[in-house]
Amino acid sequence: MQGFKVAVAGATGNVGREMLSILAERRFPVSEVVALASSRSIGKEVSFGDRVLKCKALENYDFSTTDICLMSAGGAVSKEWSPKIGAQGCVVIDNSSTWRMDPDVPLVVPEVNADAARGYGKKNIIANPNCSTAQLVVALKPLHDKARIKRVVVSTYQSVSGAGKAAMDELFTQTRAVFTTDPVEAKKFPKRIAFNLIPQIDVFMEDGSTKEEWKMVAETKKILDPKIKLTATCVRVPVFISHSESVNIEFEKPITADEARNILAAAPGCLVIDRREPGGYITPHEAAGEDATYISRIREDPTVENGLALWCVSDNLRKGAALNAVQIAEVLVNRGWLKPKQKVA
């Protein structure tokens, strides 16, 4: 297979580094990989497999010979640069929330709606969903196909890495401060995160929900089915990596826990670990560094007709961000929807 020239924008951040690592791990067919960051990071070194790349400045980079740009440089940067990059004939796979609800931009989770990626040509941008949405729809899709989902109630337990490197540093610093009886300072989060939970992710909306909760509702409808009713409560927890979700689902048709277990065990991207004994389930610590969306605690909910409850855990830096972006690029390449600009002699 011919190689593609791939740029990673935001290469020094948590997700950017993970993107480079996953491109190498999955042997994505590259002819060249370019690490891009802000001008203050010029020359900073990042790893790509066993190679070291020096960062170049995004604002000075010519995308006319680049095929794919994995964009993880934040919403403001994406809003300004993704259309400019797309106009140069380079497909942007964007990890921010900027383009997700744009009707001309496909919002894609390959296990769920890979065909939607075909519509990238309007703006040359494809959006990656929110990390908590990505793992949720991977678990919901095969169940929806079987019994049609009416309503979902989800409570999330989201790790601090979802808020970036500074948030991870804050959890570490505060935890150490608790043990050494130093003052605990909250900078990145509105309240202390060490040995605590914060029932707020992103800003508050007029109806009292947070933007993270709204994103889960709107994105699930766009990716999976606009008829699904969903309500979410999103909570930040003192865990470094992996988001967990308690999911309650109401279906139109009957479905047993055993049926759901078998369907999910066979579904792409899902791994069922569900033994009804102490430790017979997945925790965020074990999911870190893994690609799968793990599902445990599958059981029937007797309080509604055709109800199920389950526990869902995934590495938010991988399936929730970097892995999903690389998988979208793989869809474009494997289905022949994107050809390399430069022919290799």
Side-chain angles (χ1 to χ4, degrees):
M1 189 185 280
Q2 278 198 300
F4 291 77
K5 187 172 178 183
V6 179
V8 175
T12 57
N14 280 346
V15 174
R17 288 176 190 270
E18 203 70 48
M19 284 170 167
L20 288 165
S21 155
I22 289 170
L23 283 169
E25 257 173 54
R26 292 173 75 90
R27 294 188 169 83
F28 188 82
V30 296
S31 58
E32 186 185 347
V33 175
V34 183
L36 300 175
S38 64
S39 50
R40 68 176 180 274
S41 293
I42 291 177
K44 204 167 184 182
E45 294 185 342
V46 290
S47 300
F48 171 63
D50 50 12
R51 291 167 46 207
V52 171
L53 307 177
K54 280 189 166 24
C55 287
K56 298 178 179 179
L58 169 65
E59 47 263 46
N60 305 330
Y61 185 71
D62 176 9
F63 285 90
S64 59
T65 61
T66 303
D67 300 298
I68 298 166
C69 175
L70 302 180
M71 172 71 74
S72 186
V77 174
S78 179
K79 191 171 186 180
E80 181 185 352
W81 284 96
S82 292
K84 294 179 186 174
I85 297 167
Q88 292 186 56
C90 175
V91 181
V92 179
I93 301 173
D94 178 49
N95 195 51
S96 79
S97 61
T98 304
W99 303 101
R100 290 178 191 152
M101 300 318 294
D102 186 315
D104 292 335
V105 174
L107 179 63
V108 177
V109 176
E111 296 92 335
V112 179
N113 65 335
D115 286 348
R118 195 169 197 162
Y120 73 83
K122 291 179 183 167
K123 287 190 173 166
N124 264 0
I125 301 171
I126 300 174
N128 229 10
N130 187 31
C131 41
S132 44
T133 307
Q135 69 188 69
L136 178 67
V137 294
V138 167
L140 293 182
K141 169 73 162 79
L143 300 176
H144 185 53
D145 288 347
K146 168 73 177 170
R148 307 310 293 168
I149 293 171
K150 277 169 49 177
R151 178 170 182 257
V152 180
V153 181
V154 56
S155 300
T156 71
Y157 306 74
Q158 292 178 234
S159 67
V160 294
S161 56
K165 188 175 179 310
M168 295 176 82
D169 291 343
E170 183 152 314
L171 172 57
F172 180 85
T173 307
Q174 287 185 0
T175 304
R176 190 173 55 192
V178 170
F179 282 117
T180 55
T181 61
D182 288 336
V184 175
E185 284 183 71
K187 294 175 187 163
K188 180 73 187 175
F189 294 113
K191 294 200 177 197
R192 157 180 158 168
I193 184 64
F195 304 97
N196 201 14
L197 305 175
I198 302 173
Q200 179 202 342
I201 299 178
D202 213 328
V203 296
F204 277 94
M205 317 274 288
E206 271 183 35
D207 68 353
S209 60
T210 63
K211 197 162 182 195
E212 185 84 356
E213 291 155 359
W214 173 82
K215 284 180 207 166
M216 288 192 79
V217 175
E219 292 173 21
T220 300
K221 287 175 179 285
K222 181 170 175 176
I223 296 166
L224 195 53
D225 188 337
K227 294 192 197 74
I228 291 175
K229 292 178 176 175
L230 187 142
T231 181
T233 302
C234 294
V235 182
R236 190 72 73 190
V237 296
V239 166
F240 283 110
I241 293 172
S242 300
H243 291 351
S244 306
E245 296 171 350
S246 164
V247 189
N248 185 278
I249 315 162
E250 194 178 338
F251 296 89
E252 284 178 18
K253 301 174 194 161
I255 181 169
T256 66
D258 284 339
E259 282 176 307
R261 205 172 283 110
N262 292 335
I263 288 164
L264 290 166
C270 293
L271 256 179
V272 175
I273 294 181
D274 191 13
R275 298 184 310 280
R276 293 176 173 179
E277 60 188 52
Y281 40 77
I282 194 82
T283 64
H285 173 69
E286 295 150 306
E290 300 292 329
D291 288 348
T293 295
Y294 289 91
I295 299 155
S296 307
R297 304 289 322 280
I298 303 165
R299 60 210 189 272
E300 283 149 39
D301 174 3
T303 67
V304 290
E305 202 176 352
N306 309 329
L308 284 180
L310 56 83
W311 173 250
C312 166
V313 184
S314 194
D315 182 327
N316 56 296
L317 299 179
R318 290 180 78 90
K319 186 56 198 168
L323 173 66
N324 199 72
V326 174
Q327 286 176 311
I328 292 170
E330 289 172 347
V331 168
L332 298 181
V333 169
N334 295 340
R335 300 197 181 189
W337 296 342
L338 185 67
K339 300 284 185 234
K341 290 176 181 172
Q342 292 182 311
K343 295 279 178 272
V344 180

